[in-house]
Amino acid sequence: MRGLLKLTWLEIKIFLREPLGAFGTVAMPVLAFVGLGRIAGRGLSAAASPGSPANKLVSVGFPVFSTVLIAISAVLSLVTIISIYRESGILKRLRATPLRPLTILTAHVLVKLLLTATTLALMLLAGKRYYPVGVDVPLAKFTLALLFSTLSILSLGFLLSSVVPTARFAQPLGAIILYPMIAVSGLFVPVSSLPPGIQGLARILPITYAVSLLQGIWTHDAWSAHLGDMAALAAAFVLFTAISAKVFRWE
């Protein structure tokens, strides 16, 4: 446990030394959340009903979109860091230490989960004036839902980092794979409204279930209403982790 904590703290310090990575992972989702809130807030009438499409977009769509960005930013950062560590020989040297391989990889997961929670807190604080409805959000439950979703999507990140050839192509390749998933996740258009083939694709993507879980918890749904989403995310985590364990390269 001591080795895990020390390595986690070391990885946090290394991450913060790279301004561009910190900006993309932490600042970008916060800026997107606030920017969308300001743009939409100007055009949203104060008298709009809570159930109106515009109000729903501002109060539910944008916050969940921003939290999905948090998760994807964490994944892209993970893919990039693991690829850089492999290419530079750091992973090989770490494996030669007394630390177990599971401890080394768990430290990276903990860093991403801590950054995810921090980004969520900053996002809600920065956007509070533009999203007054967010005051009533069950923050503790929503944070747990976000961390659970991020953990599942991070397992996909480990799978990508296991097979990506070089650090140079890590983040672009991850972005090409991950960002298009948002379009079919049900965030902007209900999955049931998509063409049958696209619906089938959406049903096998963990981001689809993450969006459903986050939207539900944000709007005060009970956990029991999203057991299927959590089961799908857990299954994705187990599957991607198992595949990564088979194909992950340390050098």
Coordinates of all heavy atoms in Angstrom, one line a residue, residues 36-50 52-59 62 130-133:
L36 N -20.5 26.8 -22.7 CA -21.8 26.3 -23.2 C -22.9 27.0 -22.3 O -23.9 27.3 -22.8 CB -21.9 24.8 -23.2 CG -21.0 24.1 -24.2 CD1 -21.1 22.6 -24.0 CD2 -21.5 24.4 -25.6
G37 N -22.6 27.0 -21.0 CA -23.6 27.6 -20.1 C -23.8 29.1 -20.4 O -25.0 29.6 -20.4
R38 N -22.8 29.8 -20.7 CA -22.9 31.3 -21.0 C -23.7 31.5 -22.4 O -24.5 32.3 -22.5 CB -21.5 31.9 -21.1 CG -20.8 32.0 -19.8 CD -19.5 32.8 -19.9 NE -19.9 34.2 -20.1 CZ -19.0 35.2 -20.2 NH1 -17.7 34.9 -20.1 NH2 -19.3 36.4 -20.4
I39 N -23.3 30.6 -23.4 CA -24.0 30.8 -24.7 C -25.5 30.5 -24.5 O -26.3 31.2 -25.0 CB -23.3 29.9 -25.7 CG1 -21.9 30.4 -26.0 CG2 -24.1 29.8 -27.0 CD1 -21.1 29.4 -26.8
A40 N -25.8 29.3 -23.9 CA -27.2 28.9 -23.8 C -27.9 29.8 -22.8 O -29.1 30.0 -23.0 CB -27.2 27.5 -23.3
G41 N -27.2 30.2 -21.8 CA -27.9 31.0 -20.8 C -28.5 32.4 -21.3 O -29.5 32.9 -20.9
R42 N -27.8 32.9 -22.3 CA -28.2 34.2 -22.8 C -29.5 34.0 -23.6 O -30.4 34.9 -23.7 CB -27.2 34.8 -23.8 CG -25.9 35.2 -23.1 CD -25.0 36.0 -24.0 NE -23.7 36.2 -23.5 CZ -22.6 35.7 -23.9 NH1 -22.6 34.7 -24.8 NH2 -21.4 36.0 -23.3
G43 N -29.7 32.9 -24.2 CA -30.9 32.7 -25.0 C -32.0 32.0 -24.3 O -33.1 31.7 -24.9
L44 N -31.8 31.6 -23.1 CA -32.8 30.9 -22.4 C -33.7 31.8 -21.5 O -33.1 32.5 -20.6 CB -32.2 29.8 -21.5 CG -33.1 28.9 -20.7 CD1 -34.0 28.1 -21.7 CD2 -32.4 27.9 -19.8
S45 N -34.9 31.9 -21.7 CA -35.8 32.7 -21.0 C -35.9 32.3 -19.5 O -36.0 31.1 -19.3 CB -37.2 32.8 -21.6 OG -38.1 33.5 -20.8
A46 N -35.9 33.2 -18.6 CA -36.1 32.9 -17.2 C -37.4 32.2 -16.9 O -37.6 31.5 -16.0 CB -35.9 34.1 -16.3
A47 N -38.4 32.5 -17.8 CA -39.7 32.0 -17.6 C -39.9 30.6 -18.2 O -41.0 30.1 -18.2 CB -40.7 33.0 -18.2
A48 N -38.9 30.1 -18.9 CA -39.0 28.8 -19.6 C -39.4 27.7 -18.6 O -38.9 27.7 -17.4 CB -37.7 28.5 -20.3
S49 N -40.3 26.9 -19.0 CA -40.7 25.8 -18.0 C -39.6 24.8 -17.8 O -38.7 24.6 -18.7 CB -41.9 25.1 -18.6 OG -41.5 24.4 -19.8
P50 N -39.5 24.2 -16.6 CA -38.4 23.2 -16.3 C -38.3 22.1 -17.3 O -37.3 21.5 -17.5 CB -38.7 22.8 -14.9 CG -39.6 23.8 -14.3 CD -40.4 24.4 -15.5
S52 N -39.1 22.2 -20.6 CA -38.9 22.7 -22.0 C -37.6 22.1 -22.5 O -36.6 21.9 -21.8 CB -38.9 24.2 -22.1 OG -37.7 24.7 -21.4
P53 N -37.6 21.9 -23.8 CA -36.3 21.3 -24.4 C -35.1 22.1 -24.1 O -34.0 21.6 -23.9 CB -36.7 21.3 -25.9 CG -38.1 21.2 -26.0 CD -38.6 22.0 -24.8
A54 N -35.2 23.5 -24.2 CA -34.1 24.3 -24.0 C -33.6 24.2 -22.5 O -32.4 24.1 -22.3 CB -34.4 25.8 -24.3
N55 N -34.5 24.2 -21.6 CA -34.2 24.1 -20.2 C -33.5 22.8 -19.9 O -32.5 22.7 -19.2 CB -35.4 24.3 -19.3 CG -35.0 24.7 -17.9 OD1 -34.1 24.1 -17.3 ND2 -35.7 25.6 -17.3
K56 N -34.1 21.7 -20.5 CA -33.5 20.4 -20.3 C -32.1 20.3 -20.9 O -31.2 19.7 -20.3 CB -34.4 19.3 -21.0 CG -34.0 17.9 -20.7 CD -35.0 16.9 -21.3 CE -34.5 15.5 -21.0 NZ -35.5 14.5 -21.5
L57 N -31.9 20.9 -22.0 CA -30.6 20.9 -22.6 C -29.5 21.6 -21.7 O -28.4 21.1 -21.5 CB -30.6 21.6 -24.0 CG -29.3 21.7 -24.8 CD1 -28.8 20.3 -25.2 CD2 -29.4 22.6 -26.0
V58 N -29.9 22.7 -21.1 CA -29.0 23.4 -20.3 C -28.8 22.7 -19.0 O -27.7 22.6 -18.5 CB -29.5 24.9 -20.0 CG1 -28.6 25.6 -19.0 CG2 -29.4 25.7 -21.3
S59 N -29.9 22.2 -18.4 CA -29.8 21.7 -17.0 C -29.3 20.2 -17.0 O -28.8 19.8 -15.9 CB -31.2 21.8 -16.3 OG -32.1 21.0 -17.0
F62 N -25.9 19.7 -21.2 CA -24.5 20.2 -21.1 C -23.7 19.7 -19.9 O -22.5 19.4 -20.1 CB -24.6 21.8 -21.0 CG -25.0 22.4 -22.3 CD1 -25.4 23.7 -22.3 CD2 -25.0 21.7 -23.5 CE1 -25.9 24.3 -23.5 CE2 -25.5 22.3 -24.7 CZ -25.9 23.6 -24.7
Y130 N -24.2 29.8 -14.0 CA -24.9 29.6 -15.2 C -25.8 28.4 -15.2 O -26.7 28.2 -16.1 CB -23.9 29.4 -16.4 CG -22.9 30.5 -16.5 CD1 -21.5 30.3 -16.1 CD2 -23.3 31.7 -16.9 CE1 -20.6 31.3 -16.2 CE2 -22.3 32.8 -17.0 CZ -21.0 32.6 -16.6 OH -20.1 33.6 -16.7
Y131 N -25.7 27.6 -14.2 CA -26.5 26.4 -14.0 C -27.1 26.3 -12.6 O -26.8 25.5 -11.8 CB -25.7 25.1 -14.3 CG -25.1 25.0 -15.7 CD1 -23.9 25.5 -16.0 CD2 -25.8 24.3 -16.7 CE1 -23.4 25.5 -17.3 CE2 -25.3 24.2 -17.9 CZ -24.1 24.8 -18.2 OH -23.6 24.7 -19.5
P132 N -28.0 27.3 -12.3 CA -28.6 27.3 -11.0 C -29.3 26.0 -10.6 O -29.4 25.7 -9.4 CB -29.6 28.5 -11.0 CG -29.9 28.7 -12.5 CD -28.6 28.3 -13.2
V133 N -29.8 25.3 -11.6 CA -30.5 24.0 -11.3 C -29.6 23.0 -10.7 O -30.0 22.1 -10.0 CB -31.2 23.4 -12.6 CG1 -30.1 22.9 -13.5 CG2 -32.2 22.3 -12.2

